[in-house]
Amino acid sequence: MLLTPPGVYRPQSDSQMLARAVGVSGRARGAVLDLGTGTGTVALAAARCGAGAVTAVDLSRRAVFAARLNARLHRVALTVQRGDLFAPVRGCRFALVTANPPYVPSSTDRLARHRRARSWDGGRDGRAVVDRICDGVADHLEPGGALLMVHSAVSGVEASLDRLAAAGLTARVVDRTRIPLGPVMRARSVLHETRGLVGPGAADEELVVIEAVRER
């Protein structure tokens, strides 16, 4: 069980899927970076899988507090830092980077800063944060290191693969699953249908985990 204070993203299917991918991949060795850690669920999973050191980053003060508290409660060593994506780890490289970024398409490209919605709002195409991770992660991977990132297919799987390839990484989908639409996706179903992101009356969505490897 993880403590989830008000305003912090509660682990759901995407978090569980990413945590499972960390274990299956066997890549949680050496130094691991977890972006947008929230409660710390994926960072804790990486630590349990044998990572040498785990750094967890989140922009939210409440999330940083929650991750630190959960690490203490579970007696797991985490370094938790507050900051915007890679900013707190400038110049550092990792064997594994994990990310469950905000990816739900919203009505505007203006991202929430001080509301719960910043945990899921990804801009008009859902890619405002996803693209930043795709563009910046190569500079933070050791040779042979990898990114594991989860997001909805609504946000564009091929767009992520292409963007990661353009950054010099070898990218592929390593896991897929379909889940019922959650409350946020249901609330925006008309918006998403209007934009052609989902079919009429869609009741579920596909989640994917993407692996991107820096070969050298």
Side-chain angles (χ1 to χ4, degrees), residues 47-90:
R48 294 193 186 101
C49 287
V54 182
T55 301
V57 173
D58 205 292
L59 187 61
S60 164
R61 287 186 175 87
R62 291 186 181 187
V64 168
F65 169 78
R68 287 174 177 166
L69 182 57
N70 283 320
R72 182 175 298 179
L73 290 173
H74 287 262
R75 299 182 181 179
V76 173
L78 293 184
T79 299
V80 187
Q81 300 189 42
R82 179 177 178 267
D84 184 18
L85 294 182
F86 301 105
V89 294
R90 197 180 311 276

